[in-house]
Amino acid sequence: MDFIGRLQEGGVRVGTKQTTKMVEQGKAAVVYVAQDADSRLIGRITQLCQQHGVAVTPVETMRELGKACGIDVGTAMAVVVEE
């Protein structure tokens, strides 16, 4: 995951609402989804990404994804935004 550079540029959004919004607006380059997140959330974002042609990359845990995004808590998903 290449979050460090993107975080410094402001090119990563964290959380379900932000990820969904960026995919719907066509601004998502890639979506990262924690495999231990709620299965309904995973299903919804995966389907939305398929509809919009956005790649989905699985991450093992919410904690791991949160850490990669530079936050102290876990997150179900994050999106790298095309600028």
Side-chain angles (χ1 to χ4, degrees), residues 23-75:
V23 172
E24 289 174 340
Q25 291 179 358
K27 296 180 180 180
V30 62
V31 171
Y32 291 89
V33 178
Q35 295 305 290
D36 64 342
D38 185 291
S39 61
R40 291 172 293 185
L41 289 178
I42 294 172
R44 275 190 228 129
I45 197 63
T46 300
Q47 183 177 17
L48 186 64
C49 287
Q50 286 174 345
Q51 291 171 354
H52 290 268
V54 177
V56 176
T57 302
V59 178
E60 198 167 321
T61 67
M62 291 173 43
R63 184 162 184 77
E64 181 182 339
L65 183 54
K67 185 176 178 181
C69 291
I71 60 175
D72 292 331
V73 295
T75 185

